[in-house]
Amino acid sequence: MSDEVVLYSSPMSRGRVVHWMLEEAGAPYRYEMVDLETRAHKDPAYLAVNPMGKVPAIVHRGVVVTECGAICAHIADAFPAARLAPPVGSPERGAYYRWIFFGATCVEPAVIDRMLARPEVSRPSALSYGSYEDAVATLEAALRPGPFLLGQHFTAADVYVGSQVGFGLMVKALEPRPVFQAYLARVQERPAYKRFMEKNDQLLAKMKKAG
Ligand SMILES: N[C@@H](CCC(=O)N[C@@H](CS)C(=O)NCC(=O)O)C(=O)O
C-alpha cells in the first residue's frame, strides 16, 4: 500500500496546521484542494470523506483521520524518523498528550470564543476550558521554560499549539505576551514551517486565479 498521505484542505483553513506537520515529518503527501468559497466541503464527494463537511481531513493507508490534533499525532507516529513524538509509555509521552489535548479542548475554544466575542455563560465551570484567563495563564506557564512545550525537543505538540498561538495573536484573541511572541518566532524559524508557508502561498495564489 502507498504511504502517501492525501491532505484535503484549503490554504486559509486549519488545514495549514496539517500542511506544516507533513513538512516537519518529511511525509510523502498530495494536496487536494477543497475550496471553501465554492462550498466544495459540502459536496457529497467530500462528505463521504468527512461527514462534518470540514477541513482538514487526511486519508492515509486507507483510513480517514480528521481533527488537527489527531492528525498531527498520527503523522508523528506514522513517520517516526522525524522524531516528532516521544516514545509510547515514556513520561514525556504523557506531557505530549497533555498539551495536544489541552490545545484542542482548552486553547482552541477559548481563543475562538474570545475572537467571536461570545457572551459569558452562566456556568463557566461546565466549559472544557473553564475561563479564558485560566487557559491563557496555563498556556503561558507551559511555554515559559522553553524553548518548546516539552523542553529542548520540538514535537508535533508544538506544531499544533504553535499554530494556535499564531492564529490567536493574528486575530488578537491572544494578548501579545512576550512568552507567546518569542515561542511563535522560534517555531516559525523552522525550515519546515518556511517550506509549508511557501507552498501554501502558491496554493492560495492558484486558488485565487482559478476563482
Ligand atoms: N475540529 C476541527 C475543526 C475543523 C474546522 O472547523 N475547519 C473549518 C475551516 S478552519 C471548516 O472546515 N469550516 C467550514 C464549515 O464548517 O463550513 C479540526 O480541528 O480539524
Side-chain angles (χ1 to χ4, degrees), residues 55-120:
V55 289
I58 65 163
V59 178
H60 184 222
R61 299 175 188 162
V63 170
V64 173
V65 188
T66 66
E67 312 312 316
C68 288
I71 299 172
C72 287
H74 170 72
I75 291 170
D77 288 345
F79 299 93
R83 300 182 65 243
L84 292 164
V88 173
S90 66
E92 293 77 19
R93 185 81 176 195
Y96 168 78
Y97 282 138
R98 177 187 180 190
W99 296 118
I100 290 183
F101 282 81
F102 183 77
T105 62
C106 298
V107 180
E108 161 139 348
V111 163
I112 297 284
D113 282 357
R114 176 57 58 109
M115 178 183 86
L116 299 177
R118 290 182 79 181
E120 298 275 306

Side-chain angles (χ1 to χ4, degrees), residues 91-174:
E92 293 77 19
R93 185 81 176 195
Y96 168 78
Y97 282 138
R98 177 187 180 190
W99 296 118
I100 290 183
F101 282 81
F102 183 77
T105 62
C106 298
V107 180
E108 161 139 348
V111 163
I112 297 284
D113 282 357
R114 176 57 58 109
M115 178 183 86
L116 299 177
R118 290 182 79 181
E120 298 275 306
V121 295
S122 59
R123 214 154 45 90
S125 59
L127 294 174
S128 67
Y129 65 87
S131 75
Y132 172 87
E133 288 71 22
D134 285 350
V136 171
T138 302
L139 178 65
E140 185 179 11
L143 296 177
R144 190 175 297 114
F148 303 115
L149 275 164
L150 299 194
Q152 294 301 320
H153 198 112
F154 178 91
T155 68
D158 294 295
V159 174
Y160 187 46
V161 172
S163 299
Q164 294 174 334
V165 169
F167 180 79
L169 290 175
M170 184 181 75
V171 300
K172 300 187 174 14
L174 260 189

Side-chain angles (χ1 to χ4, degrees), residues 12-15 36 39 41-42 52-56 66-69 108 160:
M12 293 293 281
S13 74
R14 287 172 174 84
L36 302 181
R39 302 195 59 74
H41 55 304
K42 303 298 178 189
M52 286 289 284
K54 282 183 170 287
V55 289
T66 66
E67 312 312 316
C68 288
E108 161 139 348
Y160 187 46

Side-chain angles (χ1 to χ4, degrees), residues 192-205:
Y193 180 83
K194 292 180 178 166
R195 280 199 305 277
F196 138 68
M197 277 300 280
E198 199 179 314
K199 292 179 185 178
N200 194 67
D201 285 349
Q202 287 165 5
L203 288 162
L204 192 58

